[in-house]
Amino acid sequence: MKKILLSTAMGAALLVGGVSATGIATPSKAEAAGFEVQLTRSGYFSNYVTSKAYSGKYDSRVKTYSLTNGYIKSNSSVDGSYKVYIQTRKNSKSTWKTVKTITATKNGTTHFTSPKIANGYSYRFYTVNAGTKKKVNFFMSWIPFAN
């Protein structure tokens, strides 16, 4: 009986390990039942940086969504702050419009949430270092939450 339980547990562990090793599960984006649970972004910049556009297309029953539980961890050799603009647009031909401005500290953690964004709109983060142009390392995390 113990051998059967042990072999079943080992088989389940191999199955889960095989699925994550093939690239179905990635460490930067977790999914549950087709909904994105948490997204992350990291890197560094000295002047400004634009993120990729994230799609905000959900089921037709969803009218709006927002970015919740967001935080930015930063570190730099200088003190001060920089701006992070959350921008949205309806399609790839329209212009980006700023819906939220976040003042993030260069050394520390800054929390944020976004206003409601209409379903079908994409969003991006536009980060600007208006002060001393020293390198800033950052890590961002947020959860798109459909309302």
Side-chain angles (χ1 to χ4, degrees), residues 26-45:
T26 62
S28 64
K29 181 169 87 171
E31 294 186 11
F35 292 101
E36 296 172 341
V37 177
Q38 181 178 14
L39 298 175
T40 61
R41 177 174 177 257
S42 62
Y44 66 90
F45 70 100

Side-chain angles (χ1 to χ4, degrees), residues 66-78:
S66 59
L67 311 179
T68 60
N69 296 334
Y71 67 90
I72 306 166
K73 287 185 180 179
S74 306
N75 65 14
S76 178
S77 61
V78 295

Side-chain angles (χ1 to χ4, degrees), residues 129-144:
N129 185 4
T132 306
K133 304 293 190 231
K134 297 287 186 180
K135 181 175 146 181
V136 177
N137 300 306
F138 69 93
F139 175 82
M140 296 176 68
S141 177
W142 67 95
I143 300 172

Side-chain angles (χ1 to χ4, degrees), residues 1-22:
M1 186 64 168
K2 286 184 181 181
K3 287 184 180 181
I4 293 172
L5 289 174
L6 183 60
S7 65
T8 303
M10 288 177 51
L14 287 172
L15 180 63
V16 169
V19 168
S20 64
T22 59

Side-chain angles (χ1 to χ4, degrees), residues 79-144:
D79 290 332
S81 62
Y82 61 94
K83 302 282 186 186
V84 178
Y85 301 97
I86 300 175
Q87 299 179 326
T88 63
R89 72 177 177 184
K90 183 158 177 87
N91 55 42
S92 61
K93 294 178 183 165
S94 61
T95 59
W96 290 100
K97 295 187 181 359
T98 300
V99 295
K100 174 92 176 201
T101 302
I102 304 160
T103 303
T105 60
K106 290 184 181 176
N107 289 297
T109 303
T110 304
H111 297 273
F112 69 90
T113 59
S114 78
K116 291 182 179 181
I117 303 169
N119 188 10
Y121 278 60
S122 298
Y123 65 93
R124 74 175 183 180
F125 298 97
Y126 182 68
T127 308
V128 178
N129 185 4
T132 306
K133 304 293 190 231
K134 297 287 186 180
K135 181 175 146 181
V136 177
N137 300 306
F138 69 93
F139 175 82
M140 296 176 68
S141 177
W142 67 95
I143 300 172

Side-chain angles (χ1 to χ4, degrees), residues 39-53:
L39 298 175
T40 61
R41 177 174 177 257
S42 62
Y44 66 90
F45 70 100
S46 59
N47 192 6
Y48 66 91
V49 67
T50 304
S51 74
K52 70 175 189 168

